[in-house]
Amino acid sequence: MGLEIDDVGVVAGGRAILHKVTARIGAGTMVAVIGPNGAGKSTLVKAISGERRPALGRVRLHGDDVSTLAPADLATQRAVLPQATSIAFPFTVFEIVGLGLRQRAGMDAAARRQEVQRALAAVDLEGFGERLYQRLSGGEQQRVQLARVLCQIGKPVKDGRAKLLILDEPTSSLDVRHQIAVLSIARRFADGGGIVVAVLHDLNLAVSFSDRLMVLQRGRLVADGAPEELLEGPMLAETFGTGMVIMKPPGWARPAVLPDLPRILP
């Protein structure tokens, strides 16, 4: 059944900020949610994750309404990497990442340590376990949080049911190499049978890694489809309010997207 988003609407301060969004996302799929600032992207992923209950409609994961699932049950089926995470106490990297294992029962201390080390290696932080989280750079902290999320979610499929990995701007503080590395992790999760929903601002990364683009504008889903299809018309330029140049470099599997700078710059 996968992830079902049915006429989801969200209201804040008496104002509708998300308007009847509907989508179906099956197992083995990576979806990039894109759109201008204030379009409702983070609000949508909060509704999908169960963090925010919609005023209208509902979100179901394998038939279960995520807003009614017990937090402990939901934590075994979906994991969320938020835009930012504030840690006030002097935890080590190992302690932060180990928090992701709280819902995974039946692991002894040795297995837990091995799982944390595996997650840190996956995000290129091998050997960082004893460092204090607060002393890391912003990009390193972001990758620590991803390692925690990977520990929480585990394998992409359990008992024949795809798990859901939600990433809200996962590349915002990362250099180019680590942007590619992080989205490669997400791509492998989807290829392994899981479901990935990622909010991305970099259109080239969205086009390159995702199976589908969900395009939001002013709280409405204005387009939903394969990247190559959505790049063909004027939709992206109209949505972002700037001209776009679509290039197809030789040997590239996907097109590249550039702002039409000659028309913008004086």
Side-chain angles (χ1 to χ4, degrees):
M1 287 181 283
L3 180 65
E4 300 170 274
I5 306 167
D6 291 318
D7 288 331
V8 167
V10 175
V11 176
R15 182 175 65 89
I17 55 176
L18 208 61
H19 304 268
K20 291 190 174 182
V21 174
T22 295
R24 300 286 186 274
I25 305 174
T29 303
M30 180 170 172
V31 174
V33 180
I34 64 173
N37 293 339
K41 301 183 296 296
S42 292
T43 300
L44 176 61
V45 297
K46 286 178 180 178
I48 292 173
S49 71
E51 179 182 344
R52 184 162 196 163
R53 187 163 188 159
L56 300 170
R58 60 180 176 172
V59 177
R60 290 174 293 185
L61 183 60
H62 304 302
D64 296 323
D65 190 328
V66 298
S67 66
T68 62
L69 284 172
D73 292 336
L74 189 56
T76 65
Q77 300 182 56
R78 70 94 181 92
V80 183
L81 179 67
Q83 283 188 29
T85 304
S86 178
I87 304 295
F89 299 99
F91 288 110
T92 66
V93 167
F94 185 91
E95 290 170 330
I96 294 293
V97 178
L99 292 174
L101 298 173
R102 288 180 298 174
Q103 301 300 328
R104 294 175 62 182
M107 300 178 67
D108 59 23
R112 293 171 67 85
R113 176 167 289 276
Q114 185 178 45
E115 194 71 12
V116 170
Q117 291 172 340
R118 185 181 296 115
L120 286 173
V123 299
D124 196 26
L125 289 176
E126 195 169 11
F128 275 61
E130 300 307 316
R131 298 194 188 187
L132 287 177
Y133 179 82
Q134 285 85 352
R135 294 183 180 176
L136 302 181
S137 70
E140 288 169 340
Q141 290 183 356
Q142 194 168 24
R143 283 149 52 207
V144 168
Q145 293 298 333
L146 176 59
R148 174 187 58 77
V149 167
L150 294 177
C151 279
Q152 177 190 334
I153 200 66
K155 294 181 179 180
V157 178
K158 183 178 181 181
D159 299 330
R161 290 159 63 106
K163 296 181 183 179
L164 173 60
L165 179 61
I166 301 172
L167 309 173
D168 193 356
E169 298 188 28
T171 61
S172 59
S173 299
L174 304 182
D175 58 60
V176 173
R177 180 170 73 89
H178 288 111
Q179 288 177 7
I180 294 171
V182 164
L183 291 181
S184 295
I185 290 172
R187 182 68 260 177
R188 288 194 296 271
F189 188 87
D191 290 342
I195 300 170
V196 178
V197 177
V199 173
L200 297 174
H201 280 295
D202 189 309
L203 295 181
N204 284 302
L205 293 177
V207 168
S208 297
F209 283 92
S210 64
D211 301 299
R212 281 167 57 187
L213 301 179
M214 291 178 62
V215 187
L216 293 181
Q217 185 179 31
R218 297 187 184 94
R220 300 182 187 278
L221 183 64
V222 296
D224 182 0
E228 295 90 338
E229 296 174 359
L230 298 188
L231 292 179
E232 290 180 356
M235 184 276 303
L236 282 182
E238 293 173 354
T239 299
F240 287 93
T242 187
M244 300 282 181
V245 177
I246 310 303
M247 304 174 62
K248 296 184 179 179
W252 285 37
R254 300 280 181 93
V257 185
L258 294 174
D260 192 355
L261 292 178
R263 296 179 183 272
I264 300 171
L265 300 178

